[in-house]
Amino acid sequence: MPVMTPAMLQQFIIDEFPQVLHLDCKIEHVDDSTITVRMSASENHLRPGGTISGPTMMELADATMYFLLLAQIGPVALAVTTSLNINFLRKPAPGDLIARGKLLKLGKSLATGEISIYSEGMDDPVAHVVTTYSIPPKRNAG
Amino acid sequence: MPVMTPAMLQQFIIDEFPQVLHLDCKIEHVDDSTITVRMSASENHLRPGGTISGPTMMELADATMYFLLLAQIGPVALAVTTSLNINFLRKPAPGDLIARGKLLKLGKSLATGEISIYSEGMDDPVAHVVTTYSIPPKRNAG
Amino acid sequence: MPVMTPAMLQQFIIDEFPQVLHLDCKIEHVDDSTITVRMSASENHLRPGGTISGPTMMELADATMYFLLLAQIGPVALAVTTSLNINFLRKPAPGDLIARGKLLKLGKSLATGEISIYSEGMDDPVAHVVTTYSIPPKRNAG
Amino acid sequence: MPVMTPAMLQQFIIDEFPQVLHLDCKIEHVDDSTITVRMSASENHLRPGGTISGPTMMELADATMYFLLLAQIGPVALAVTTSLNINFLRKPAPGDLIARGKLLKLGKSLATGEISIYSEGMDDPVAHVVTTYSIPPKRNAG
């Protein structure tokens, strides 16, 4: 069972990760190996033509993996991305994006996951990401 | 429905793609968007310690995506890999490898897929691959 | 010789690509195969602790490749990123970032480049990116 | 200064890494951050048409990074690849391949490098690779 619930993750964003507040993420589900995050498409993220920009999707994927990792190991603010590989597959439709993340490996020092990003109401993914986080060693309690 | 069956793909390997014969692949299943390929672990692929080498897994993933693509578009020998990204997740167990491929996008000129490689009898993947093939333009018949 | 100069690229940003204005990029150099882009580190991009965020570096790399490509082929607003692979190597120092891009291939329909991102005054890169853009086919003039 | 010379690396291949003997690699140069490896193109690696196969280039890149890493840290046979990202850029010419590797980061537990692969006599790379190795922790002497 994950150690952080969606509500705890939402509070963590407010307290420790305000730089993603602009994505307006809602953690819809999290369990031992998967997560679903909805991003409200506001004016800020739109490219001319009404689609969400590539960098916004990269940021959403990065945050989704971070939430999925934190849900397993607790609020370790110092976990950092070591690599991220994204393929842009289709033009997103106007509207919300749904990121579905899955842990591929949760090791002691590295965690790897994949994230598929969907436009609401489309069956095929608009982008696919594989990313690895580095987990800092635990400090001994004093 | 795919245009090539597993049997047709096996014959294609013999006729047009003999360089992967050493992988001893068996196409166990193919449909419109997924494929399952089993690789028999022979002595040739083993590293000291009895595990299958990383380059062998890269070759298996590359071939798996090629088979999945050919199954959809027919025996286009000239499709070529443009990129491949692999994450090695766990040490494979001795024994066969199972590659499960899924199309992420089949476009006119590019096809992208992901492949998870499993050791027989293990639940978690030993490697995960995302790869893109370039599809040559169709020539007009004379 | 590139078809767009740094000054033309700066004007293109203002006219056609305002969503990267917040990066405050200065195109310092561009030639047939390389580009240098300086990003002023303003308060907006900083994480707690004063370092520039990962997503900001991804956006800088993506924009750098776009500028390098446009410099070669002219202001084709419809070129789009198809893939981006980033490795985060070191914590950036406070201060400006310098992105140095190099074309690996400029084909008819795909262009691939690599970008190393440096913190001003550090010898080793803070991040390394390989990315591919898709170039739309030319329309025939009417 | 590297702790292993080209001659020591060649001997290491024979003693500990015989699975790459088939690549017929010659370590032409190694220093603190770069390496040059020549692969003789024998019949074994050729695809129909006389070009070297993609999987062979992946194997060459993987081995080149391994040699570059070992040159810095000594003959640690247990270093393993964690990820590899390759872009195939051009069809190789018949003849030898030259792999030029460069360390991007040598950390305590991870080392990342990039490798450009050239066909002898061609100016532009045929493939470009970024790869990360995991370095096992040192055991304390007993």
Side-chain angles (χ1 to χ4, degrees):
Chain A
M1 222 176 59
V3 300
M4 292 183 80
T5 62
M8 291 161 77
L9 289 166
Q10 299 284 168
Q11 191 61 44
F12 178 86
I13 294 173
I14 294 167
D15 295 342
E16 305 277 349
F17 200 29
Q19 60 269 40
V20 299
L21 279 173
H22 76 100
L23 292 179
D24 206 358
C25 284
K26 179 155 179 270
I27 319 289
E28 296 196 327
H29 169 83
V30 68
D31 61 32
D32 282 356
S33 60
T34 71
I35 191 167
T36 305
V37 178
R38 172 182 294 262
M39 182 191 122
S40 292
S42 71
E43 285 305 310
N44 303 337
H45 318 111
L46 299 187
R47 290 258 159 123
T51 62
I52 290 173
S53 75
T56 300
M57 286 189 274
M58 293 192 266
E59 189 172 9
L60 171 61
D62 187 43
T64 297
M65 178 62 188
Y66 188 45
F67 301 147
L68 177 53
L69 176 59
L70 294 191
Q72 315 307 319
I73 65 173
V76 179
L78 294 177
V80 293
T81 316
T82 60
S83 68
L84 185 146
N85 184 61
I86 187 164
N87 279 270
F88 297 98
L89 302 165
R90 291 169 186 86
K91 203 174 156 172
D96 289 1
L97 291 186
I98 319 287
R100 298 187 189 283
K102 187 169 75 168
L103 271 180
L104 291 168
K105 180 182 182 181
L106 175 55
K108 258 185 268 186
S109 62
L110 293 176
T112 301
E114 63 164 323
I115 299 101
S116 294
I117 300 179
Y118 297 86
S119 273
E120 183 161 36
M122 283 173 67
D123 282 342
D124 292 315
V126 296
H128 182 270
V129 172
V130 180
T131 181
T132 295
Y133 265 74
S134 174
I135 306 168
K138 274 184 195 148
R139 307 199 199 145
N140 295 322
Chain B
M1 222 177 61
V3 300
M4 293 183 80
T5 62
M8 292 163 76
L9 289 166
Q10 298 284 168
Q11 190 60 45
F12 179 85
I13 294 174
I14 294 166
D15 295 342
E16 305 277 351
F17 199 28
Q19 60 270 41
V20 299
L21 279 174
H22 76 100
L23 292 180
D24 207 357
C25 284
K26 179 153 180 274
I27 318 289
E28 296 196 327
H29 169 84
V30 68
D31 62 32
D32 282 357
S33 61
T34 72
I35 192 167
T36 306
V37 178
R38 172 182 296 261
M39 182 192 123
S40 292
S42 71
E43 285 304 312
N44 303 338
H45 317 110
L46 299 187
R47 291 258 158 124
T51 62
I52 289 172
S53 75
T56 299
M57 287 189 274
M58 293 192 266
E59 189 172 9
L60 171 61
D62 187 43
T64 296
M65 178 63 188
Y66 189 45
F67 301 146
L68 177 53
L69 177 58
L70 294 191
Q72 315 307 318
I73 65 173
V76 180
L78 294 176
V80 292
T81 316
T82 61
S83 68
L84 185 146
N85 184 61
I86 188 164
N87 279 270
F88 296 98
L89 302 166
R90 293 170 185 85
K91 202 174 159 172
D96 289 1
L97 291 185
I98 319 287
R100 298 186 190 283
K102 186 169 75 168
L103 271 180
L104 292 169
K105 180 182 181 179
L106 175 56
K108 259 184 268 186
S109 62
L110 294 176
T112 300
E114 62 166 322
I115 299 102
S116 294
I117 300 179
Y118 298 86
S119 274
E120 183 162 36
M122 282 173 66
D123 283 342
D124 292 315
V126 296
H128 182 270
V129 172
V130 180
T131 181
T132 295
Y133 265 74
S134 173
I135 305 167
K138 274 183 196 151
R139 304 197 201 148
N140 295 322
Chain C
M1 222 177 58
V3 300
M4 293 182 80
T5 62
M8 291 162 76
L9 290 166
Q10 298 285 166
Q11 191 60 44
F12 179 86
I13 294 174
I14 294 167
D15 295 343
E16 304 279 349
F17 200 29
Q19 60 270 40
V20 299
L21 278 174
H22 76 101
L23 293 180
D24 207 356
C25 284
K26 180 155 179 271
I27 319 289
E28 296 196 325
H29 169 84
V30 69
D31 62 32
D32 281 358
S33 62
T34 71
I35 192 167
T36 305
V37 178
R38 173 182 293 264
M39 182 192 123
S40 292
S42 71
E43 284 305 312
N44 304 337
H45 317 111
L46 299 187
R47 290 257 159 125
T51 62
I52 289 172
S53 76
T56 299
M57 287 189 274
M58 293 192 267
E59 189 172 9
L60 171 61
D62 187 43
T64 296
M65 178 63 188
Y66 189 45
F67 301 147
L68 177 53
L69 177 59
L70 294 190
Q72 315 307 318
I73 64 173
V76 180
L78 293 177
V80 292
T81 315
T82 60
S83 68
L84 185 146
N85 185 60
I86 188 165
N87 279 270
F88 296 97
L89 302 166
R90 292 169 186 85
K91 204 175 158 173
D96 288 2
L97 291 186
I98 319 287
R100 298 186 190 283
K102 187 169 76 169
L103 270 180
L104 292 169
K105 180 181 182 181
L106 176 55
K108 258 184 270 187
S109 62
L110 293 177
T112 301
E114 62 164 324
I115 299 102
S116 294
I117 301 179
Y118 297 86
S119 273
E120 184 162 36
M122 282 174 66
D123 282 341
D124 292 315
V126 297
H128 181 270
V129 171
V130 180
T131 180
T132 295
Y133 264 74
S134 173
I135 305 168
K138 274 182 196 152
R139 305 196 200 149
N140 295 322
Chain D
M1 223 177 58
V3 300
M4 292 183 80
T5 63
M8 292 162 75
L9 289 166
Q10 299 284 168
Q11 190 60 44
F12 179 86
I13 294 173
I14 295 167
D15 294 343
E16 305 277 350
F17 200 28
Q19 60 269 40
V20 299
L21 278 174
H22 76 101
L23 293 179
D24 207 357
C25 285
K26 177 153 181 275
I27 318 288
E28 296 196 326
H29 169 83
V30 68
D31 62 32
D32 281 357
S33 61
T34 71
I35 191 167
T36 305
V37 178
R38 173 183 294 262
M39 182 192 122
S40 292
S42 71
E43 285 304 313
N44 303 338
H45 318 110
L46 300 187
R47 291 258 159 124
T51 62
I52 290 173
S53 76
T56 299
M57 287 190 274
M58 293 193 268
E59 190 172 8
L60 171 61
D62 188 43
T64 296
M65 178 63 189
Y66 189 45
F67 301 147
L68 177 53
L69 177 58
L70 294 191
Q72 315 307 319
I73 65 172
V76 179
L78 294 176
V80 293
T81 316
T82 60
S83 68
L84 185 146
N85 185 59
I86 188 164
N87 279 270
F88 297 97
L89 303 166
R90 292 169 186 85
K91 204 175 157 171
D96 289 1
L97 291 185
I98 319 288
R100 298 187 190 282
K102 187 169 77 167
L103 271 180
L104 292 168
K105 180 181 182 180
L106 176 55
K108 258 184 270 186
S109 61
L110 293 177
T112 301
E114 61 165 324
I115 298 102
S116 294
I117 300 179
Y118 297 85
S119 274
E120 184 160 36
M122 282 173 66
D123 282 343
D124 291 316
V126 296
H128 182 271
V129 172
V130 180
T131 181
T132 295
Y133 265 74
S134 173
I135 305 168
K138 275 183 194 149
R139 304 200 201 146
N140 295 322

